[in-house]
Amino acid sequence: MKKIIWEIEYLALPVVVKYCKKCGKISEFICSQKFRVNAQKKNIDVWLIYNCDYCNTTWNARVYQQISPQSIEKHDLEGFYQNSKAMVKKYAMDYEFLCKNGADGVELPPYTIMGEDFSLTEIVELQIKNRYKLPVKISKIIREKLYLSQSEYLRLIENGNIKSVPEHDLKKCKIKKEITLIFKS
């Protein structure tokens, strides 16, 4: 059995959808790629700053609230002060973090699927990896990478030509961190 790994590579940061108080409606918020660190006495607050795409109003997604700087790893604390691209990506690409901070929705950013193509006549163990916590539908990944229609994809499932380990509903399932699929001819 041939083993193949695909990895989802995101080309941008996701857009957050939430209510804008200034606009008075649901708006798109774009990540500024900057943190705000505020010191109050011995504790600090850390936010990731977003801006309304229409009126430029800011929305601060809370990373830490009233926490001792000593309880944050030195590398991470420095990343907040320096607006580290890696730190920005870590939080801006975390669906649960954004929703916990009041996002009504998160628009999936454009992405590519890196990895070797294969033929459906081969027996393949496919591992799909998602470095960030953004929910992408398995069906969308498979259909895009293998150029399948929805009906072709569903036929593969119904005929038992594609299964997940452990078993998931491949019609609805979203990848979190990784998933393994078995393709049989």
Side-chain angles (χ1 to χ4, degrees):
M1 180 182 307
K2 187 175 184 179
K3 294 186 179 194
I4 295 177
I5 297 174
W6 288 352
E7 188 164 338
I8 301 171
E9 186 175 299
Y10 295 95
L11 306 175
L13 297 176
V15 172
V16 173
V17 178
K18 69 179 284 9
Y19 182 79
C20 176
K21 291 177 184 175
K22 189 172 181 183
C23 292
K25 62 179 183 169
I26 299 289
S27 295
E28 293 182 341
F29 281 77
I30 310 299
C31 184
S32 70
Q33 300 190 39
K34 293 181 182 170
F35 289 100
R36 178 174 171 215
V37 181
N38 187 27
Q40 295 179 347
K41 298 182 184 176
K42 295 181 182 181
N43 295 324
I44 64 169
D45 295 316
V46 180
W47 298 277
L48 180 58
I49 303 170
Y50 282 78
N51 298 101
C52 175
D53 196 33
Y54 182 74
C55 72
N56 212 31
T57 293
T58 60
W59 167 59
N60 298 331
R62 178 177 289 130
V63 178
Y64 289 109
Q65 178 180 9
Q66 291 296 301
I67 190 167
S68 165
Q70 290 78 22
S71 63
I72 302 173
E73 287 188 40
K74 198 172 193 173
H75 175 266
D76 288 352
L77 188 57
E78 194 60 34
F80 294 134
Y81 282 120
Q82 301 298 323
N83 294 313
S84 156
K85 297 290 182 200
M87 292 294 287
V88 167
K89 212 168 191 182
K90 174 183 174 183
Y91 289 98
M93 301 292 276
D94 188 334
Y95 180 81
E96 291 171 9
F97 165 77
L98 295 170
C99 290
K100 188 173 74 176
N101 268 283
D104 294 325
V106 179
E107 294 179 7
L108 197 62
Y111 61 86
T112 59
I113 304 155
M114 305 302 292
E116 180 183 344
D117 291 343
F118 61 90
S119 167
L120 292 175
T121 60
E122 300 177 80
I123 298 174
V124 173
E125 178 183 303
L126 173 64
Q127 186 177 31
I128 305 172
K129 295 183 178 188
N130 189 7
R131 186 180 319 163
Y132 298 102
K133 296 178 182 178
L134 292 175
V136 184
K137 285 185 112 180
I138 300 296
S139 61
K140 187 172 186 205
I141 295 168
I142 299 298
R143 288 184 8 249
E144 284 178 9
K145 185 73 171 167
L146 297 179
Y147 306 104
L148 298 173
S149 68
Q150 179 74 13
S151 60
E152 290 171 318
Y153 177 74
L154 293 174
R155 195 170 16 261
L156 286 172
I157 294 170
E158 289 164 12
N159 294 340
N161 297 106
I162 178 175
K163 292 187 178 185
S164 61
V165 181
E167 196 150 328
H168 295 284
D169 181 355
L170 294 177
K171 296 174 186 174
K172 300 176 185 176
C173 179
K174 294 181 181 182
I175 187 171
K176 292 186 178 162
K177 189 171 182 176
E178 64 181 53
I179 190 167
T180 301
L181 304 172
I182 306 294
F183 285 80
K184 300 175 185 174
S185 54

